[in-house]
Amino acid sequence: MPETAEATTATATELVGRHFRVRDHYDVGREKIREFARAVRNNHPAHHIEADAMKLGYEGLIASPTFASVIGAATTRSLIGTVLTEYDVSQTLHTDQVFEFLRPIVAGDRLAVDVVVEQIRSFGDNDFITVKVTLNDVLGLPVLVSTTTIVARKGVEIDPSAVETVAGVVMHGHISDAGESAVADPTGLVLLSPDEVTEFLAPAPARPVHTVPTAAGVAAGDELPAVTMPVTRGDLVNYAGVSGDPNPIHFSDAAAKLVGLPTVVAHGMLTMGLTASYLTSWLGDPSALSKFSVRFSGYVPVEPTAPTMVEFTGKVKSADAERGTATIVLGATSEGKKLFGRAVAEVRLS
């Protein structure tokens, strides 16, 4: 539980605007960067080979664009499970995700995690909760800002048989599952008093990028070559383990059918990660992303014995040759259905 009585007794709406600190820092490991890159098929050598990361100006491997979801997902689960206790974590749905990249996350980074509940909007029995997570390095400089919106249902009784079914297939090993105290949980949250909240420092100056498409050669209306990727059950199980996502709808048919899904479905953040891979493969430099936002609107059903094909497309919405920037609208479809209501990336170009 949070370390102050104020957080344990406050309602969700009373905590809007309040800041929390994740109790322990996150050390970014080289092998974790590699395994996450493999899970989302970010094949750029700067994710895997240090010499190639150094060519882009970084002393360690560069993390994939959506790597911060590993930290953010654990933080959101802790927030719902121990702070916003009016909601049941099993009754939440990820609807929007925005990453703002101030610099790439690099192997060896030691990141502090600041969390703030920015907004709660109610529509009937559903609350839309927006959570902002800021990752800061050891110098106190912001590295990445992640803004997540989830929809949570209130006052819903959980079928005991459903709880029993999920208990039989859920991933184990999470501290909250083991019933240990929050003091032992490094992802636990500490509510900060207003005088403990300080202004974030200005980020470090952006480093030059080395993209294949150039600012002078990109124009509004240009289309990126379409790419199709297969997604299998093995991909889902691997991503669940690498990302630490315990939701069994991504690997158990029984759990998926309990919530009305036809079969196991891919993680929304896996499809976002694959989309980032598609984009950075075109860019040729994974550090060129400035902002990446997605609104989830569909899912990828994945049968037990055959892959599901996902097609990725992109189009330049606008380009500014003088500033060396462009805005790219991205798309992903599976079985003829759109996966995103909106997917937009802001990039820097050589």
Side-chain angles (χ1 to χ4, degrees):
M1 298 293 286
E3 288 186 346
T4 65
E6 182 183 359
T8 59
T9 59
T11 64
T13 53
E14 288 172 338
L15 292 173
V16 170
R18 299 297 301 275
H19 285 251
F20 295 83
R21 183 182 64 246
V22 173
R23 182 173 290 106
D24 203 357
H25 58 265
Y26 185 93
D27 281 329
V28 180
R30 182 183 67 171
E31 300 312 319
K32 186 67 176 183
I33 286 178
R34 285 174 171 157
E35 72 173 16
F36 187 87
R38 288 192 293 269
V40 293
R41 300 182 208 170
N42 289 161
N43 297 323
H44 192 283
H47 302 311
H48 305 274
I49 303 170
E50 288 163 334
D52 287 277
M54 291 180 70
K55 291 177 184 177
L56 297 179
Y58 298 93
E59 296 181 358
L61 296 184
I62 298 172
S64 301
T66 59
F67 180 87
S69 62
V70 174
I71 305 168
T75 301
T76 301
R77 286 196 302 273
S78 184
L79 187 69
I80 297 295
T82 63
V83 177
L84 305 182
T85 53
E86 299 167 37
Y87 310 101
D88 188 293
V89 70
S90 67
Q91 298 293 308
T92 62
L93 179 67
H94 196 171
T95 62
D96 291 81
Q97 179 62 52
V98 181
F99 291 118
E100 297 175 69
F101 307 96
L102 305 174
R103 71 159 172 84
I105 293 173
V106 176
D109 272 336
R110 173 165 286 192
L111 301 175
V113 187
D114 177 271
V115 185
V116 60
V117 181
E118 285 211 313
Q119 186 181 59
I120 297 179
R121 294 172 292 126
S122 297
F123 294 92
D125 292 332
N126 294 326
D127 280 358
F128 288 79
I129 305 167
T130 300
V131 179
K132 183 177 180 179
V133 175
T134 303
L135 306 181
N136 301 283
D137 65 17
V138 292
L139 299 176
L141 302 177
V143 174
L144 179 144
V145 179
S146 168
T147 304
T148 301
T149 300
I150 58 174
V151 58
R153 300 188 66 189
K154 297 185 298 183
V156 178
E157 288 193 21
I158 309 299
D159 186 343
S161 63
V163 173
E164 184 177 355
T165 299
V166 171
V169 298
V170 73
M171 292 166 56
H172 292 288
H174 292 276
I175 289 175
S176 58
D177 296 339
E180 299 179 27
S181 71
V183 172
D185 182 2
T187 66
L189 301 175
V190 179
L191 178 63
L192 303 181
S193 64
D195 59 356
E196 291 178 300
V197 179
T198 58
E199 292 289 333
F200 294 122
L201 300 175
R207 300 186 186 185
V209 295
H210 307 275
T211 57
V212 174
T214 63
V218 170
D222 289 352
E223 293 189 1
L224 282 61
V227 171
T228 300
M229 299 184 196
V231 177
T232 67
R233 287 280 178 100
D235 294 322
L236 305 194
V237 173
N238 183 48
Y239 186 80
V242 170
S243 67
D245 187 334
N247 194 330
I249 66 170
H250 302 304
F251 51 83
S252 165
D253 284 300
K257 289 175 181 177
L258 277 175
V259 296
L261 294 168
T263 187
V264 161
V265 299
H267 312 70
M269 288 308 302
L270 172 57
T271 60
M272 189 175 184
L274 295 175
T275 306
S277 175
Y278 164 70
L279 175 61
T280 57
S281 293
W282 174 75
L283 286 168
D285 183 346
S287 70
L289 265 174
S290 298
K291 187 175 182 179
F292 184 24
S293 63
V294 162
R295 172 163 294 167
F296 301 104
S297 63
Y299 55 81
V300 180
V302 183
E303 298 295 341
T305 58
T308 298
M309 307 306 292
V310 181
E311 183 180 43
F312 299 92
T313 57
K315 187 174 183 178
V316 179
K317 179 181 179 182
S318 62
D320 187 328
E322 185 175 339
R323 296 178 58 198
T325 60
T327 300
I328 315 294
V329 177
L330 298 154
T333 58
S334 174
E335 299 181 342
K337 297 180 180 178
K338 293 183 177 181
L339 304 181
F340 306 139
R342 180 199 68 241
V344 180
E346 297 175 11
V347 304
R348 296 185 295 136
L349 301 172
S350 300

